[in-house]
DNA sequence: ACCTGAACACCGTTCAAGT
DNA sequence: ACCTGAACACCGTTCAAGT
């Protein structure tokens, strides 16, 4: 037993990889680096993750749980602002979650975590005549805003980000009845 | 002169890389592969691109020009639908453009192409009291919708994608005056 | 079960050399 | 100027072997 470095190598790998992710970005995130951070051979991670994608998917699923947590209980526009804040506070995690490197179809754990986070959004619109559509519109708006802010497309206009976000979200009304 | 394979190696590299991009995705896109497709040594591309990122940036800039072209002249909601269609027709190109692998700050050519595409959107809202905010909201909405559709987050609801897109876009109204 | 080192086929990038 | 082959330091992944 003393030859085993970790009681929970899987958790140690995720922690190290999470650090590497935010510091260096997705591209620089390697299995070998995660193994190094955990103090094991470059091959040990394969006991816990089938391949590099499986590690990325686990990190992304963590991200969806973090996002769901950040949104929980927030009403109306505050929820949208919390969504944007999450993206800006965890830029690389957000990109990993939505960068399309991990097709949901191939990662059931990820699909599960994502739809759980999304469910909170749907519930908030359940009194509308068309809650699915309203929720999709609301999610699209805040997601697009977060992504474009992150990429710097609104840099020139967003001297004060919080004000800019509030104004954009405030400019939109969801119709009572879809066209 | 006969030892030179191409009158325009740069164009040949971009073309080959564009093909590899849509077929294999961003991760699989390598300078060495692009060189192979163009029939030159793995080192020749460095005469035209400083590094791999420069090639990616050139492909992304091409993408922004394609997007601007796809939106040109489209009125109102048709523009939003064209935006979503572009993303679905060129998924990997779209991800490259917005995946954050290429910070606009580090790639002026890219920033230029992007803001040119965005300008068309701003112009469409110039009669609103707050055109910058309205344009940002409209872009956020269609961008988020495109991205989430691409990722498969609306898969269960989007049996008929065109109808779904029309309903989501139709559910939103831009207020005459920002809050 | 869990971990290891060696090996294979890939990368991006640099360098010295050829025309 | 443009292109080449050799070399270096990285990868992901597989394999046979150790405890």
């Amino acid at each position: 037993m003393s030859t085993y470095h970790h009681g929970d190598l899987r958790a140690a790998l995720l922690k190290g990889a999470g650090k590497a992710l935010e510091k260096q970005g997705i591209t620089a995130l390697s299995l070998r680096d995660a193994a190094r951070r955990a103090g094991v051979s470059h091959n040990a991670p394969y006991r816990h993750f089938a391949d590099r994608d499986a590690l990325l998917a686990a990190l992304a699923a963590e991200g969806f749980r973090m996002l769901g947590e950040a949104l929980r209980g927030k009403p109306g526009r505050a929820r949208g602002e919390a969504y944007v804040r999450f993206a800006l506070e965890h830029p690389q995690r957000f990109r990993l979650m939505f960068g399309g490197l991990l097709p949901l179809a191939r990662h059931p754990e990820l699909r599960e975590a994502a739809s759980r986070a999304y469910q909170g959004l749907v519930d908030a619109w359940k009194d509308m005549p068309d809650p699915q559509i309203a929720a999709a519109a609301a999610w699209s708006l805040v997601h697009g805003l977060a992504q474009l802010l992150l990429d710097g497309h609104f840099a020139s206009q967003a001297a004060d980000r919080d004000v800019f976000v509030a104004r954009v979200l405030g400019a939109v009304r969801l119709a009572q009845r879809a066209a």
Side-chain angles (χ1 to χ4, degrees), chain A:
Chain A
M1 264 308 161
S2 68
T3 65
Y4 295 163
H5 282 239
H6 296 89
D8 195 349
L9 177 56
R10 189 189 143 92
L13 288 167
L14 279 175
K15 195 172 164 189
K19 241 171 226 168
L21 172 65
E22 283 304 341
K23 210 187 300 184
Q24 319 238 34
I26 296 159
T27 310
L29 208 165
S30 76
L31 273 178
R32 292 174 99 114
D33 179 70
R36 242 175 269 125
R37 285 167 187 272
V40 294
S41 87
H42 68 268
N43 220 334
Y46 285 91
R47 289 296 127 194
H48 301 276
F49 300 100
D51 52 22
R52 181 177 183 264
D53 268 13
L55 173 65
L56 293 185
L59 284 171
E62 253 185 19
F64 278 113
R65 287 189 288 271
M66 291 159 65
L67 174 60
E69 196 56 48
L71 301 182
R72 192 189 314 286
K74 295 274 195 330
R77 191 191 298 178
R79 172 180 287 110
E81 288 167 353
Y83 193 101
V84 172
R85 206 177 313 118
F86 176 85
L88 297 177
E89 277 170 8
H90 309 93
Q92 299 294 342
R93 182 81 67 157
F94 189 78
R95 293 188 192 294
L96 175 63
M97 292 157 62
F98 294 103
L101 295 177
L102 307 162
L104 293 190
R106 217 179 299 157
H107 301 274
E109 178 201 4
L110 200 51
R111 144 157 272 123
E112 167 66 19
S115 86
R116 207 185 289 272
Y118 180 43
Q119 195 53 47
L121 281 166
V122 174
D123 290 346
W125 298 96
K126 61 167 174 277
D127 294 333
M128 296 279 287
D130 214 334
Q132 299 279 348
I133 296 294
W139 193 13
S140 294
L141 176 70
V142 295
H143 182 80
L145 180 57
Q147 171 98 39
L148 295 172
L149 267 173
L150 213 53
D151 281 12
H153 289 288
F154 296 138
S156 55
Q157 301 146 62
D160 184 330
R161 260 179 184 167
D162 290 344
V163 171
F164 180 75
V165 168
R167 291 185 71 199
V168 170
L169 296 182
V172 173
R173 298 279 176 275
L174 287 179
Q176 285 303 100
R177 193 169 294 277

